[in-house]
Amino acid sequence: MTYTILLIGVLLFLGQVFSFLFEKTRLPDVLPLMLLGMLLGPVFHLAGPEDFGGAGQIFTTVALIVVLFKSGVDFRILSLRGAVGQGLLLTTVCFAVITLTTAFITQWVLNIPQLYAFIIGAIVADNSTAVITPMLAKLQVSKTAKTVLFLEANLTGVYSIVLALALLSVASHGGQVSAAEISLRVVKSFGLGILFALAAGVFWMGILNKVRRLENAISLTFAFVLLVYSVSGLIGGDGAIATLAFGVVAGNTRLVRRLWLSKFDLSHLLSLNHGEKAFFDEVEFILKTLFFVYMGICMRIGRVDLLAIGFAVAFFKLVFRAPVVNYCVSKNVSRGDASVILAMCPNGLVSAVLAAMIASQLPEEGAVIQDVIYAVIFFSVLLSNLMSFRIEKGGLKWLGKAMFGRHKPDEIPAPPGQAAALSEPIPGETALIPEQDNPPQESPAPGSPPQA
């Protein structure tokens, strides 16, 4: 037991170190955490999935609950209003294309039922906000490209969770009932879960001011999230969807007040404050650190065929994403920005937790599905990181010319010392003027007459 506690402490410390290095070097902390798990598990056999017993399933479920709630809180409904165009179009089309192509590839290669292949496709189509955001901070891209990527990363998470859980619910019933009955059950469980979550969200946001006066108030919100998940399942709803919907209500309380304030007195509803959000960020960090190490322990690196399939799926995700980016993103976006949008599609914690959940509910093919998705996560993060590194260093120009010919060429900065350089943003100061889509005009020389 002492060595186990020591290991957990060391892992959390290393997780913080890897996170710090991520911000400085742009090396995603997912990779070293998974590699560490592989060393502990399949390489040196110091730990194995069987060592965790029932605690592994509980840990996976709690991680799923936190990820779902945080995804809902971070999702902004109002962000859809300004992105009905290219952002929403790219997200929806790309998610559909990746889901379908991945399902076709995995069904053909793994020889699994079509339904299971679509579950893999729905999970692989997700993009990780936690991995994309720090990598994007190191790249010089336009505000339009950042907005598109932000919207896509948030929406694909919701798409992936909803579709994967719906298909998993269908798969868990097997061939015992008809397709119509299964569809009815899915709609019923999702509907009950969402209605219960809406009521629970309005209730908890309404008494949040009183809850904050109690001792250990922040942990009470976490306890209530666990209650929403479990109670929704007890009454026949889907606990995962209920948790996601509860997070959406908690993260969009102002919109709820604005929509229904004229009909109901909802002025007492509050939003989560900075301290409460920071608490859930800390919980997510702890679970993410331990979970990715646990994921590395569970990987069967001896199955080279599954690793190869995972690499192929991650590679073809980029290949099939390219034409979607080319035609769904405005041609006014430069080729360099289009290349960045193409590269920013790594999988992350949502995909990992969903894979672990599937492995526990589909005992026969679940282990194979889990291994393939874990490999996809590893290789997708690696490929995205390598591509973004090359783009940052000025490479991959050929990629923009070959795949994004309809987009405008990248602007070539003027040599230092020339007057034309005054009209261009300084590369290191682009982030200081995010609201300006056009470069500032050159200021007139002192003493010259004002321009018309």
Side-chain angles (χ1 to χ4, degrees):
M1 180 62 70
T2 302
Y3 290 105
T4 303
I5 300 300
L6 175 63
L7 177 61
I8 293 175
V10 171
L11 291 178
L12 293 178
F13 178 79
L14 290 176
Q16 190 64 53
V17 173
F18 294 151
S19 180
F20 174 78
L21 293 176
F22 189 6
E23 297 177 358
K24 297 298 181 181
T25 65
R26 208 191 56 253
L27 175 66
D29 53 353
V30 173
L31 297 179
L33 289 173
M34 290 181 65
L35 290 174
L36 182 59
M38 293 179 196
L39 293 175
L40 292 174
V43 176
F44 295 112
H45 303 286
L46 299 176
E50 63 279 357
D51 296 330
F52 297 89
Q57 177 62 29
I58 296 175
F59 173 63
T60 300
T61 304
V62 174
L64 175 67
I65 293 172
V66 173
V67 168
L68 290 170
F69 179 72
K70 278 282 295 163
S71 299
V73 171
D74 295 337
F75 179 70
R76 291 291 178 266
I77 297 177
L78 289 179
S79 65
L80 300 177
R81 182 179 56 184
V84 177
Q86 55 181 332
L88 188 57
L89 178 64
L90 171 69
T91 303
T92 306
V93 175
C94 195
F95 183 86
V97 169
I98 299 301
T99 299
L100 293 173
T101 53
T102 302
F104 174 78
I105 293 172
T106 52
Q107 183 185 11
W108 176 61
V109 175
L110 296 174
N111 194 24
I112 58 177
Q114 188 179 58
L115 182 60
Y116 294 172
F118 273 102
I119 293 176
I120 298 177
I123 296 176
V124 169
D126 174 47
N127 296 333
S128 174
T129 307
V131 179
I132 289 175
T133 303
M135 286 198 297
L136 196 60
K138 298 287 184 179
L139 301 172
Q140 296 293 333
V141 296
S142 65
K143 180 185 175 183
T144 301
K146 289 184 177 181
T147 302
V148 168
L149 285 169
F150 175 79
L151 174 71
E152 184 189 21
N154 282 274
L155 266 185
T156 51
V158 177
Y159 285 178
S160 182
I161 291 169
V162 173
L163 182 57
L165 292 178
L167 294 175
L168 180 61
S169 178
V170 174
S172 62
H173 290 89
Q176 301 175 2
V177 292
S178 65
E181 290 176 308
I182 292 176
S183 301
L184 183 61
R185 288 185 182 183
V186 171
V187 172
K188 179 183 176 182
S189 63
F190 275 38
L192 282 175
I194 293 174
L195 289 176
F196 175 74
L198 292 176
V202 172
F203 167 76
W204 191 254
M205 295 300 108
I207 67 170
L208 191 57
N209 191 38
K210 297 180 180 179
V211 171
R212 286 172 178 165
R213 302 172 189 172
L214 303 175
E215 239 181 299
N216 305 317
I218 296 180
S219 62
L220 288 178
T221 300
F222 178 57
F224 192 78
V225 173
L226 299 179
L227 288 175
V228 169
Y229 178 88
S230 55
V231 173
S232 176
L234 292 175
I235 64 175
D238 189 282
I241 294 299
T243 306
L244 178 66
F246 178 65
V248 173
V249 174
N252 295 270
T253 306
R254 293 182 179 179
L255 179 62
V256 173
R257 288 204 309 255
R258 186 184 306 174
L259 292 177
W260 294 324
L261 187 59
S262 58
K263 299 180 181 179
F264 306 100
D265 183 14
L266 300 179
S267 57
H268 60 288
L269 296 186
L270 299 178
S271 301
L272 297 179
N273 58 30
H274 177 74
E276 290 159 344
K277 292 181 179 179
F279 171 80
F280 281 98
D281 288 338
E282 291 290 338
V283 172
E284 185 183 38
F285 168 77
I286 293 174
L287 292 176
K288 180 192 75 172
T289 301
L290 298 178
F291 191 86
F292 277 119
V293 175
Y294 176 72
M295 190 173 82
I297 293 174
C298 295
M299 286 187 69
R300 296 181 292 178
I301 59 176
R303 292 290 305 270
V304 181
D305 57 334
L306 298 182
L307 292 176
I309 292 171
F311 174 80
V313 170
F315 176 77
F316 281 110
K317 181 179 180 180
L318 287 168
V319 171
F320 291 111
R321 178 177 171 84
V324 179
V325 173
N326 186 35
Y327 290 104
C328 290
V329 175
S330 171
K331 61 183 179 180
N332 293 325
V333 174
S334 67
R335 294 173 183 173
D337 287 351
S339 300
V340 172
I341 295 175
L342 169 65
M344 294 294 107
C345 60
N347 294 86
L349 185 58
V350 171
S351 301
V353 175
L354 288 175
M357 184 179 180
I358 288 171
S360 64
Q361 296 192 25
L362 302 177
E364 295 183 3
E365 292 87 353
V368 174
I369 294 175
Q370 178 181 258
D371 288 340
V372 171
I373 294 176
Y374 283 177
V376 170
I377 294 171
F378 182 84
F379 289 116
S380 66
V381 172
L382 183 62
L383 290 174
S384 292
N385 187 68
L386 291 175
M387 288 185 65
S388 64
F389 178 78
R390 290 294 300 138
I391 293 173
E392 179 188 358
K393 297 302 180 181
L396 298 184
K397 297 291 186 182
W398 61 269
L399 183 67
K401 294 180 180 179
M403 295 188 173
F404 308 113
R406 65 186 293 268
H407 291 257
K408 67 178 184 180
D410 299 325
E411 296 181 1
I412 302 177
Q418 292 189 8
L422 298 176
S423 62
E424 298 292 334
I426 301 175
E429 298 179 357
T430 304
L432 300 178
I433 51 172
E435 298 299 327
Q436 297 181 5
D437 293 330
N438 299 318
Q441 298 296 325
E442 181 180 356
S443 301
S448 62
Q451 298 179 356

